[in-house]
Amino acid sequence: MLFLTRNRRIIPKGVDFDQIDKEWDWDNFVILQALIASLSVYMFPHKFASMPVWETRGVLAIVVIHVFVSEPIYYWVHRFLHGNYLFAPYHSFHHSSAVPQPVTVGSTTLLEELFITAIIGLPIVGCCLSGYGSKSVIYGYVLVVDFLRCFGHSNVEIMPHWIFDNVPLFKFILYTPTYYSLHHSEMKTNYCLFMPFYDAMWNTLNKNSWVLHKKISLDAGKSKRVPDFVFLAHVVDITSALHVPFVTRSLSSMPYSTKVFMIMQWPFAFVVMLLMWLKSKTFLLSFYNLRGRLHQTWVVPRFGFQYFLPFASKGINKHIEDAILRADRLGVKVISLAALNKNEALNGGGTLFVNKHPNLKVRVVHGNTLTAAVILNEIHESVKEVFLTGATSKLGRAIALYLCRRGVRVLMLTLSTERFQNIQQEAPADCQKNLVQVTKYQAAKNCETWVVGKWITPRQQRWAPPGTHFHQFVVPPILAFRRDCTYGKLAAMKLPNDVEGLGSCEYTMGRGIVHACHAGGVVHSLEGWTHHEVGALDVDRIDVVWKAALKHGLQPVSSLPK
């Protein structure tokens, strides 16, 4: 949960898709230990059944055996694994994870897992043979060992330094996440399991262990690096709220799709939604780095359906405004509004905030200029007629004006003659004839290119002729009802190949692909533009933004290999 741990992270880099894929089978060690434990109970059923639930002397026995047997054995075997002959085949896989995470504990080879299982098993067997074994001691020991291993790999320093200042000997009794992270970066030091005493005794203790720990502990309450760019998103729906890294890291690294277990967790997610509605604030969800710039995604704690509740609009705008002002105070250069956060009826596409706070240093961007550019560049030059729904919206207006300049006849579906005429008058005089108002879907029965900016039902889709392609900029996307037609995805672009630390997918987008409004904010930041991009789209800037996106290495999804 980055919103809780961002200032306590030891290695600041993000966990990327490569590391997530390497650690995909992290739970193998859990399965292995469960199988061995089950086999032991099966082989000695009466001994386990006759064990007492609790034996006080067993706690002392298992601690003594762990400290004087398991710890030194682990130290020396671990040290040998870093030797020239054993490291590459047996231990390098574990160290290939650049950013330690709790699941990195299980990212090991079979030999290492058997070794760890033996290390855990020795105190248990010794305790039982001494006659002091109990069920609580066995289960408790395994849980404590697994917890401490995950604690050391967490990459989050929660151990306060004052403990070591007041009790200096304690630093040799229990390691910290900082201590273990140094082992991953400087592999010839800090070999111990949990007790730095053995590193100190055999002269492999990293001298920076406590200096770095103190620095991180003292800086924990301070904001560290300021993001250059922020994408201000919101929750789509209750089920997709589970598609986040701090709930299911592996699933969030893949495009969102509804899973059975997500449906089972719907009641829990619903309760969380109610709590967020009652009291919550905008929080940090994810981050990545691009060419030395820190990009973050913040989330307004509101769900999609809440944006359509009239009584909720004031509170939502307050959340968005607070996020913009916070970004301004921090020194963020660009903040891009996602989806419904820039809804025209809600805040005029961001104009509400820019007009209310004219001295903002942060640039507020709706990103719709690049969204329009993506859609327009998907429409082949040979197309001579387009049917457009949502025709008088910000995007619809820009698309209609751009296409009419290109000589394309645009059938604009709208019941408002006044709004249609206002848009038509914006077009050059010799192009106005290319804009045609229609009020029914039947008018498009011979048009094979539909641009959908307002949700249409399967029944309305029936008016499209066979072979029609549906371009769309509507959220949520329309249902792919017609088998004799094709459906485009929401406007999106792939981030440049040199993006670093990206490990989660943006809703239904593929890996490394973001919505066009997100990409528009990225381009705004990379170009260093100093203007706000809010309200109505400047049609003349569509090509400018498109060329800038391509220049910086962003790729339209339609050009990517299938």
Side-chain angles (χ1 to χ4, degrees), residues 48-108:
F48 185 77
S50 61
M51 274 187 185
V53 174
W54 176 258
E55 171 58 66
T56 304
R57 288 171 295 182
V59 177
L60 178 62
I62 207 164
V63 169
V64 169
I65 297 171
H66 174 87
V67 170
F68 294 104
V69 179
S70 291
E71 284 283 348
I73 291 176
Y74 177 90
Y75 173 90
W76 281 108
V77 174
H78 189 189
R79 189 166 174 175
F80 285 139
L81 283 173
H82 278 267
N84 294 332
Y85 297 104
L86 296 177
F87 181 76
Y90 298 115
H91 197 47
S92 60
F93 179 72
H94 178 70
H95 278 274
S96 66
S97 295
V99 184
Q101 297 284 287
V103 296
T104 309
V105 165
S107 181
T108 54

Side-chain angles (χ1 to χ4, degrees), residues 421-489:
Q421 289 177 345
N422 289 338
I423 294 173
Q424 189 180 44
Q425 289 170 8
E426 289 187 67
D430 60 334
C431 299
Q432 291 182 5
K433 64 180 183 298
N434 294 328
L435 299 179
V436 180
Q437 181 185 9
V438 297
T439 57
K440 296 182 179 180
Y441 288 90
Q442 292 91 315
K445 63 182 179 181
N446 296 318
C447 181
E448 294 185 352
T449 302
W450 285 36
V451 179
V452 182
K454 184 177 181 181
W455 211 82
I456 57 176
T457 65
R459 183 176 181 180
Q460 291 163 338
Q461 292 180 38
R462 290 181 183 273
W463 290 105
T468 295
H469 182 76
F470 292 92
H471 303 271
Q472 51 185 319
F473 58 94
V474 61
V475 179
I478 61 174
L479 299 175
F481 172 72
R482 294 279 298 275
R483 293 189 177 183
D484 57 348
C485 297
T486 54
Y487 293 79
K489 296 183 178 180

Side-chain angles (χ1 to χ4, degrees), residues 185-235:
S185 58
E186 301 178 36
M187 290 187 285
K188 295 299 182 182
T189 61
N190 295 7
Y191 293 111
C192 76
L193 180 55
F194 305 133
M195 298 180 65
F197 166 77
Y198 290 100
D199 278 307
M201 184 168 66
W202 286 308
N203 201 31
T204 54
L205 193 152
N206 192 307
K207 296 179 181 179
N208 293 323
S209 298
W210 313 120
V211 176
L212 182 59
H213 177 268
K214 185 173 185 178
K215 181 180 183 302
I216 293 173
S217 297
L218 294 177
D219 292 345
K222 305 173 185 176
S223 294
K224 294 186 178 179
R225 186 177 172 188
V226 174
D228 299 276
F229 165 73
V230 167
F231 181 58
L232 188 61
H234 61 80
V235 191

Side-chain angles (χ1 to χ4, degrees), residues 333-349:
K333 295 180 177 64
V334 176
I335 184 167
S336 181
L337 307 180
L340 297 173
N341 284 336
K342 59 189 174 201
N343 185 280
E344 187 70 23
L346 184 68
N347 52 48

